[in-house]
Amino acid sequence: MVLSGLCPGCPPGAGPAQVSLSLAELESDILRRVRALLRELDGHHPSCQSDRGMLRWTLHKRMDQNPRTSCVLVSILVKELERAERGDLRHYIIPLLHTLMYTLIQAPCIPDELCARVYDFCKRLLTLPKPFCTIGLDYASRLQVERTAPGTLYQRMVISEQSLRSAPFPYQDRIFIFADPELLPEAICKALATDTEAAQVSQSPRSCMSCVVTHALQAALGDTCDSHGLRARLQALPPGDVEHWFQQVVAAVEGSEGGSDRGQHTARLERIYHGLLGSSPAGNAPQEGLQGTPLPSPNISFHRWTEEEQLWKELVLFLRPLSQSCEPECLGQELEPMEMPDVLPGCGCCGQSRFSVLSTDSGIERDLPAQEEPCAPCAAERSRLHRKGGIKKKPFPLDGVAFLQAGSGKPPGKPPGRAGMPPEPAGPLQRLHTARVVLLGDDRILGRLAQAFHSLRKREARRVFLTPRLDLQFYHIPVVPGQPQPSAAAEHAGPEELCEVAGYLGRADPWYESNINTLCHMIPKLATMPSRALVTDLFLTDVIAYYARMGTQPVCFQVHSVKVLFQDPAQDPAEDVFLTELLTQVQDSPSHRELSTTKRKSTLDGPGMDLTVTYRRVVLSDRQKELALSLRSTGLLMKAIPAEEAEGLGCLTVTITEIIRTSNLAGRSFSAVAHRFRTCSIKVRSPEQRPFTVRLDKDSRRTYRDVIGLEVSPCLEPSYCLQKTRTTKSSPQETEDVGLVKFLPKSLLLPINTFAGVIP
């Protein structure tokens, strides 16, 4: 009876008493670790703040070191999930489910009975509201594939993350870490760059393909697989033969997912196993049982964010590397991007900049393609037209139209259609690439991300290139330096004020709070440790990889657009976007012309300046009411991130400090009163034309001076603006959204992924 409960990886030569004792001790230790993980979610864990977030990592590291514990861990996690379901402890469900699925992906072999229990539990989650039903449906579909073809999830993850060539599964996945070097110390940037480079150097395509082959055969054959002999055989083979067997395994696993049962899948992989090992008989496995196959670190690249368009350039290079796109025979073979107007008329948020497309045509007559012989008069006229010698500018590779047109699904060698000829219908594009952009820093780098995302969406509205080919995912890891930075961009604010987005995500998702928000102060400490190379290389890359792999539920933040009016009438209004906050303050240095009048007026009216505020107040009935007020104020603060979960996202919380003058026997005195309201759009004017400053997203580098007015409203999606403009031109009498406009997102939302999204 004792032996019947063993997992396939347990040593078959152990006696019943020894096995029973080892299993009891193992279960007790793992159960203690899982219960500590749950106490951490409740906030009752006795460990200090700096040690939070290590429990999940140490639990998975223990499984990596002893793969035979994976069946015990899965069994305990299933029991805890069922206990949380009975006790209505919903905040336990998603963390336990993520931990279980991460274990299932890496486990060498899991009995089908355990997978069936997990599958049934995920199906029961479909009766719960979001995000439980969303995550349950996703994991149920994955488990269904894994039960038919064991090892599929591991195989697909490695293939996509390592960009291995595979026709049955041609997906690619990459993690981009972006950090602002002006906001983070050089030690943190250097440590992360070193860690990511070391993770890539330590593994090769051959080793990753060997891991896929070994894991697939172990998952299908169980304890009859000779793991040591399989690894030795793969290590002795030349790289070409390893790739051959890798392709065989991938084709067998992906073919099983198409509809065959588990028996046929096992038979196919058993034939590959015999062909790989040659004369070695099946079942000649060593007595120590199955050995786990490590999950290779994903393809991670670290980038210091120094250029405005660096994000867009890296994404384009990910789709089409320069080495593959500069060949002349590849040019013009892709689905041509759809041309759009450079400026969208009638849309204030999209008219702030215009990007021009540099032509690759030299303009020289001899460079033009040969045409039919013209008539004599035309030839005589053309002989008098010529172009003097000039310089042909060599464009940047990413700006050329030919670069964006390279690498298509069209048959190679087919020339593009001529002018006047209808284009051939192209097949639908697939999103084979997934870019996971991890932002490292505080709210200031998220403000830069909002700017870059808005610019990217405007590019896509004019010329669709990335959207149909790339799945773009955003992640955020808060990092606050331990000491103030000497740069001009440093702010005198606390960690809570600089990490409002991370604080909101932590309140909405407890698993994000336990695993990601704890890195806020941990990364600066680990980066400066003397023995950092012995500790942090594994930990930091593992946590970032875990977040990117399992964080699939987005939290969408509203991006707000702001139009700034300057004191100088000759200066054009500036347009920008912000994500977290907008701060206005009375300007400290007025011009010499108005210095004397300002001093006299300040003596009579007190500090601050007169402001006229017009806004639409948000009420519970969802009826917006236009309000206006005039007051004397020292400034106002607009917060886009709610301090409480009940307020929700999408509105601005505006706080205006009003200066009230009172007269008594002792003279005049002034007091400050704060007015607070919620709105979606607001206009601020200075009637006396006294300038003030505007700072966006807590970043002193994004400060506007000599401002006398501003207008703030939700930023519109550029594609919606374009389609709305076209509809208005065709039907000027229509006031509501009609046609395709009704199905387009109206507001520009920035999605940031967490493990659970917003838990109600």
Side-chain angles (χ1 to χ4, degrees):
M1 296 297 295
V2 176
L3 293 177
S4 63
L6 290 177
C7 63
C10 291
Q18 179 183 357
V19 172
S20 176
L21 180 62
S22 62
L23 280 178
E25 293 176 348
L26 186 62
E27 290 181 0
S28 176
D29 179 66
I30 294 180
L31 181 61
R32 177 180 57 83
R33 293 172 181 269
V34 173
R35 293 286 174 84
L37 202 65
L38 298 180
R39 289 197 303 271
E40 184 181 76
L41 290 173
D42 292 330
H44 305 315
H45 195 267
S47 64
C48 59
Q49 185 72 16
S50 61
D51 292 336
R52 292 190 62 198
M54 299 289 292
L55 296 179
R56 194 276 317 164
W57 181 73
T58 55
L59 183 64
H60 283 129
K61 285 296 108 180
R62 177 176 175 82
M63 187 201 69
D64 292 342
Q65 296 170 1
N66 186 8
R68 285 170 285 180
T69 63
S70 56
C71 291
V72 180
L73 177 57
V74 171
S75 177
I76 291 175
L77 291 173
V78 171
K79 293 178 182 178
E80 291 298 320
L81 278 170
E82 295 171 346
R83 186 173 71 91
E85 183 184 21
R86 291 191 302 267
D88 199 22
L89 302 173
R90 293 189 179 182
H91 63 290
Y92 289 167
I93 291 179
I94 293 179
L96 287 173
L97 197 56
H98 283 315
T99 306
L100 190 150
M101 287 300 298
Y102 204 63
T103 306
L104 277 174
I105 292 174
Q106 302 181 69
C109 185
I110 297 294
D112 187 60
E113 295 78 9
L114 281 178
C115 292
R117 290 177 62 184
V118 182
Y119 178 72
D120 293 338
F121 179 84
C122 291
K123 288 195 300 183
R124 293 196 298 270
L125 291 181
L126 299 180
T127 60
L128 298 180
K130 289 183 178 181
F132 300 98
C133 61
T134 306
I135 298 177
L137 179 61
D138 179 27
Y139 282 164
S141 60
R142 295 191 194 185
L143 285 168
Q144 189 175 13
V145 173
E146 184 71 13
R147 293 182 63 190
T148 304
T152 304
L153 300 182
Y154 178 96
Q155 174 178 289
R156 290 180 175 180
M157 183 173 289
V158 175
I159 290 175
S160 60
E161 290 180 348
Q162 305 300 326
S163 299
L164 300 178
R165 294 182 180 180
S166 170
F169 193 77
Y171 296 90
Q172 296 186 25
D173 198 326
R174 184 177 298 177
I175 299 176
F176 300 84
I177 301 179
F178 276 82
D180 195 331
E182 297 187 28
L183 304 179
L184 292 181
E186 178 61 25
I188 296 179
C189 297
K190 185 177 180 181
L192 286 168
T194 303
D195 294 351
T196 53
E197 291 176 2
Q200 303 307 314
V201 171
S202 61
Q203 58 195 23
S204 62
R206 170 178 175 155
S207 63
C208 294
M209 288 188 287
S210 299
C211 290
V212 170
V213 173
T214 305
H215 185 272
L217 295 178
Q218 283 185 344
L221 305 180
D223 54 0
T224 62
C225 178
D226 183 3
S227 304
H228 287 282
L230 189 60
R231 288 192 177 92
R233 176 61 176 165
L234 289 172
Q235 191 173 3
L237 291 176
D241 293 344
V242 174
E243 184 175 1
H244 166 74
W245 292 110
F246 165 76
Q247 298 293 347
Q248 293 288 327
V249 169
V250 172
V253 173
E254 293 296 331
S256 301
E257 195 269 335
S260 60
D261 59 6
R262 185 163 181 168
Q264 295 175 355
H265 167 77
T266 303
R268 277 195 292 264
L269 289 182
E270 190 172 1
R271 287 194 296 269
I272 295 176
Y273 176 74
H274 286 305
L276 181 58
L277 289 185
S279 58
S280 299
N284 191 22
Q287 293 298 311
E288 59 268 18
L290 288 176
Q291 300 296 315
T293 305
L295 185 61
S297 177
N299 191 354
I300 305 177
S301 58
F302 181 80
H303 305 273
R304 290 175 171 86
W305 201 349
T306 57
E307 301 178 10
E308 293 298 327
E309 299 184 3
Q310 188 172 354
L311 174 62
W312 180 81
K313 292 179 180 179
E314 293 296 337
L315 296 178
V316 173
L317 287 176
F318 173 44
L319 285 180
R320 292 296 301 162
L322 288 175
S323 59
Q324 301 179 9
S325 59
C326 295
E327 301 174 3
E329 60 271 13
C330 294
L331 300 182
Q333 294 178 9
E334 174 151 329
L335 177 67
E336 295 183 1
M338 181 166 38
E339 295 286 350
M340 303 293 181
D342 289 330
V343 179
L344 308 183
C347 174
C349 66
C350 299
Q352 61 178 339
S353 61
R354 182 182 187 275
F355 298 95
S356 62
V357 180
L358 186 62
S359 174
T360 56
D361 180 17
S362 65
I364 304 176
E365 185 176 355
R366 66 166 179 255
D367 292 344
L368 297 177
Q371 299 179 358
E372 298 179 2
E373 189 67 19
C375 58
C378 295
E381 181 67 21
R382 181 175 298 180
S383 63
R384 296 195 300 267
L385 300 176
H386 65 280
R387 179 178 178 179
K388 294 184 178 180
I391 300 175
K392 181 180 179 181
K393 181 181 177 182
K394 184 178 181 181
F396 185 74
L398 299 183
D399 293 332
V401 178
F403 178 85
L404 299 182
Q405 295 176 352
S408 127
K410 289 186 179 181
K414 177 172 283 190
R418 296 183 178 180
M421 297 293 293
E424 296 183 3
L429 295 177
Q430 292 183 343
R431 291 186 176 182
L432 301 179
H433 295 70
T434 300
R436 308 187 186 276
V437 181
V438 180
L439 280 302
L440 202 69
D442 49 42
D443 293 342
R444 292 171 289 183
I445 195 170
L446 292 180
R448 290 194 63 184
L449 174 64
Q451 280 186 311
F453 185 62
H454 181 239
S455 175
L456 186 147
R457 293 303 307 156
K458 287 198 301 180
R459 284 180 179 269
E460 290 296 296
R462 296 189 305 269
R463 172 175 290 140
V464 180
F465 176 68
L466 293 177
T467 303
R469 300 170 175 85
L470 180 68
D471 184 13
L472 184 58
Q473 306 284 331
F474 292 112
Y475 302 80
H476 174 48
I477 297 180
V479 177
V480 176
Q483 57 185 358
Q485 296 303 301
S487 63
E491 306 290 342
H492 300 284
E496 295 79 10
E497 297 178 2
L498 287 176
C499 295
E500 288 183 324
V501 174
Y504 178 84
L505 296 177
R507 294 191 302 270
D509 183 1
W511 199 232
Y512 180 90
E513 176 70 23
S514 297
N515 290 275
I516 306 302
N517 271 349
T518 52
L519 300 176
C520 181
H521 302 281
M522 188 182 299
I523 289 180
K525 293 180 180 179
L526 293 177
T528 55
M529 287 177 57
S531 58
R532 188 192 62 80
L534 302 178
V535 180
T536 63
D537 284 2
L538 194 62
F539 175 73
L540 292 181
T541 54
D542 279 357
V543 173
I544 293 174
Y546 176 77
Y547 179 29
R549 287 164 172 165
M550 311 305 291
T552 58
Q553 302 302 312
V555 178
C556 297
F557 293 89
Q558 174 67 60
V559 180
H560 288 84
S561 63
V562 54
K563 183 177 182 180
V564 180
L565 307 177
F566 295 100
Q567 186 181 27
D568 186 3
Q571 188 173 0
D572 294 334
E575 296 186 3
D576 208 336
V577 296
F578 69 94
L579 182 69
T580 57
E581 76 170 31
L582 182 148
L583 175 66
T584 68
Q585 292 178 327
V586 179
Q587 193 158 313
D588 297 331
S589 56
S591 61
H592 296 286
R593 179 170 50 86
E594 59 182 13
L595 184 60
S596 58
T597 59
T598 302
K599 284 186 176 180
R600 288 198 303 267
K601 196 167 186 180
S602 298
T603 304
L604 297 176
D605 299 336
M609 62 180 177
D610 293 333
L611 291 178
T612 301
V613 181
T614 306
Y615 65 96
R616 292 183 179 179
R617 189 170 184 176
V618 177
V619 293
L620 294 177
S621 62
D622 201 20
R623 296 178 180 177
Q624 296 182 354
K625 184 179 180 180
E626 191 83 19
L627 298 176
L629 57 93
S630 298
L631 72 167
R632 188 166 189 85
S633 173
T634 57
L636 58 88
L637 177 64
M638 303 181 191
K639 289 279 189 179
I641 309 300
E644 301 177 1
E645 298 180 16
E647 294 181 350
L649 296 170
C651 295
L652 291 170
T653 302
V654 183
T655 303
I656 302 179
T657 304
E658 181 183 5
I659 303 299
I660 299 179
R661 182 184 61 184
T662 57
S663 300
N664 49 33
L665 296 177
R668 293 177 177 176
S669 61
F670 302 94
S671 60
V673 178
H675 299 278
R676 187 173 180 268
F677 56 87
R678 289 173 60 80
T679 181
C680 289
S681 59
I682 184 173
K683 298 179 181 179
V684 181
R685 294 289 188 274
S686 175
E688 59 184 4
Q689 300 290 306
R690 184 175 177 185
F692 54 90
T693 61
V694 175
R695 190 186 68 185
L696 303 178
D697 287 323
K698 312 167 190 177
D699 196 341
S700 60
R701 297 171 298 180
R702 301 177 60 195
T703 301
Y704 295 92
R705 300 181 63 85
D706 299 328
V707 180
I708 61 172
L710 58 90
E711 300 175 4
V712 178
S713 61
C715 185
L716 299 179
E717 170 66 41
S719 59
Y720 169 85
C721 297
L722 175 66
Q723 195 65 32
K724 180 72 172 178
T725 303
R726 290 179 171 179
T727 305
T728 304
K729 287 183 178 180
S730 59
S731 302
Q733 69 278 4
E734 294 288 347
T735 57
E736 298 182 355
D737 292 344
V738 295
L740 184 61
V741 183
K742 294 189 299 184
F743 305 100
L744 294 176
K746 184 175 182 180
S747 298
L748 181 63
L749 303 178
L750 178 64
I752 298 179
N753 281 10
T754 62
F755 299 100
V758 178
I759 299 180

